[in-house]
Amino acid sequence: MTDSESLAVFDEAVVRTVADENDVPEAELREALAAHQRTMAENPGVEDLVYEWRKRFDDPVLHRTPDSYVVGVPPSVWEEFRDYMDLEADVFTALTAVHQEQTLQTGAIAAESIPPEHVALVVARSAGSTD
């Protein structure tokens, strides 16, 4: 999956707005988004990762389309990505904010449907994924 394909799950306006609100260069935020999607796709793979989250957490899949999953996970999942990717605090904050805002902007998920103490994470699926 190319970076363009993995970033297609994020609305351009959401990325731009979050970058502005967090004083993070838009290009840097886009690179962090792409790197995060690559990390999930390559290690261990999107379908395997979502399967693992389903085993570890109570019903984490909030929404699924042929192009993406939206999952609600504990903050520790995000913290693992932050540490693994060695993200600066401001970029990490903006990265997680894009996922939260994109989740709410889809209109398919109400804020109340994200379990308390969990955060949203949008995962791009490869073209060959089955539903």
Side-chain angles (χ1 to χ4, degrees):
M1 176 182 322
T2 67
D3 287 350
S4 296
E5 291 169 331
S6 68
L7 291 178
V9 297
F10 300 105
D11 185 272
E12 301 261 338
V14 169
V15 176
R16 190 174 308 112
T17 299
V18 170
D20 289 345
E21 289 175 353
N22 287 276
D23 200 27
V24 171
E26 187 177 340
E28 186 175 353
L29 180 54
R30 285 186 188 287
E31 177 51 39
L33 285 163
H36 180 241
Q37 293 296 317
R38 273 192 312 273
T39 297
M40 291 186 289
E42 294 171 359
N43 187 21
V46 168
E47 301 302 326
D48 290 339
L49 191 56
V50 172
Y51 175 77
E52 183 63 33
W53 288 334
R54 283 181 169 155
K55 287 178 20 185
R56 285 178 54 197
F57 311 119
D58 185 32
D59 199 21
V61 178
L62 304 172
H63 186 66
R64 175 176 52 191
T65 71
D67 299 324
S68 68
Y69 287 105
V70 178
V71 294
V73 294
S76 60
V77 170
W78 270 111
E79 292 162 2
E80 289 175 24
F81 282 119
R82 179 199 60 210
D83 294 346
Y84 179 80
M85 296 173 63
D86 196 28
L87 294 168
E88 297 292 327
D90 58 342
V91 175
F92 176 71
T93 298
L95 177 67
T96 59
V98 168
H99 285 256
Q100 294 291 352
E101 188 60 28
Q102 186 64 53
T103 298
L104 298 176
Q105 292 291 326
T106 66
I109 303 165
E112 304 82 47
S113 67
I114 301 172
E117 314 246 346
H118 281 66
V119 290
L121 195 152
V122 180
V123 186
R125 298 174 78 185
S126 67
S129 296
T130 58
D131 200 15

